[in-house]
Amino acid sequence: MTSHILIRSLDRSAMIFLVVVAAIAVMVPILNLAVPQSSALHVPTYLVALFGKYICYALLALSIDLIWGYCGILSLGHGAFFALGGYAMGMYLMRQIGTRGVYADPVLPDFMVFLNWKELPLYWYGFQHFPYAVLMIVAVPGALAFVFGWFAFRSRVTGVYLSIITQALTYALMLGFFRNNFGFGGNNGLTDFKDLLGFNVQAEATRNMLFSISCVALMAGFLVCRAVVTSKFGKVLIAIRDAEARTRFLGYRVESYKLFVFTLSACMAGVAGALYVPQVGIINPGEFAPGNSIEAVIWVAVGGRGTLTGAALGAVLVNYSKTYFTSGVLAPYWLFMLGSLFIGVTLLLPRGVVGTLHHWTALRRARVSAAAEDGVREPLPAE
């Protein structure tokens, strides 16, 4: 039954997206490990980690597009769920350091020894076990989203007010995690990771494994989103997006639909953050910054809101552009370029890159169908 739902939810563009991501997941590690460094086809190890970061951002963009593009919930605080998943993974990685830390304490992380902590906080217990860490990666962002959504949606907070509240949530978390007595490393965060499931996180093979796992997670997240938005449940979400009051008057429990999809989206963002941390080697309170959440929304807008593939593509395009331009003479002006990009897309391509292509394709098909009904063949471009 589940496989039938997944197969039914896939169209041509979705299949192309999955094939491309699967090919990238296989080819990048091969080009890094099997191709000599002297070859032009060789992919350096630093690019593997960089591409892995892009893939994690694409999964975060998917989670935002699920709630914004299909349910009309504009969250400006989704970076909080991303960061919480990252901290859960970082806590597991810190517990794996043991006596290899600077202070060689078998239990306490280095920053706790430096701050004269005498014992491990209660909420750090269990993170030495990977299954428990995986559970927390999903449960902590999901629980926060559920509690927040329960109060927000039952109070019928919508629109710009909900966006402001989500932004306030991530800002409050950022201030809290900056404090040393919070037990999460304060301003420095968590870093100096050694092992992941016994594998050296700095090794080339481990980095390639993390990259491939990130691609698989992106594919899984895409399949989940497609299954949701193409089902009857997804049709109700679209109805809520377009006419929430009318949907409520038809008898649907709008709050329950919004709460479920918001929680699911937060769990996806947590997984993205967890895969992000071992590839970049650090997690700190800066990930909670409201600007990061706003930038993630821009990725979705650039790629195409309500398209899924566009959200993932937008995340990769914007972040690749950011990496490219911030390393040259235009580095001091990158933020202005990002703002100009968002304004330009809003004015010229309000549907985003992929959304605009879909719109043009639909118009083309409509003209062909109209011409066929009238018995007139549409002239070829050369004619």
Side-chain angles (χ1 to χ4, degrees), residues 196-216:
L196 173 61
L197 291 175
F199 298 97
N200 182 3
V201 295
Q202 302 297 331
E204 289 186 353
T206 306
R207 290 187 175 274
N208 282 279
M209 177 183 65
L210 287 170
F211 173 81
S212 297
I213 292 174
S214 299
C215 290
V216 172

Side-chain angles (χ1 to χ4, degrees), residues 85-134:
Y87 265 97
M89 175 59 78
M91 293 168 72
Y92 164 77
L93 295 173
M94 291 297 290
R95 293 300 307 273
Q96 302 307 301
I97 296 176
T99 56
R100 292 172 295 175
V102 175
Y103 297 100
D105 192 292
V107 177
L108 297 180
D110 283 338
F111 73 89
M112 291 186 183
V113 178
F114 177 78
L115 295 173
N116 294 319
W117 288 58
K118 302 304 180 183
E119 59 182 10
L120 195 69
L122 182 63
Y123 46 85
W124 274 77
Y125 283 98
F127 277 97
Q128 69 272 26
H129 305 296
F130 185 73
Y132 180 82
V134 172

Side-chain angles (χ1 to χ4, degrees), residues 301-315:
V302 170
R305 174 191 173 194
T307 60
L308 293 182
T309 54
L313 179 63

Side-chain angles (χ1 to χ4, degrees), residues 364 367-368 371 376-383:
R364 170 73 176 179
R367 287 197 298 266
V368 171
V376 179
R377 183 177 65 87
E378 189 174 16
L380 298 173
E383 299 176 343

Side-chain angles (χ1 to χ4, degrees), residues 26-43:
V26 174
M27 291 305 301
V28 169
I30 290 177
L31 295 177
N32 174 251
L33 298 174
V35 177
Q37 295 185 8
S38 58
S39 174
L41 297 177
H42 176 73
V43 176

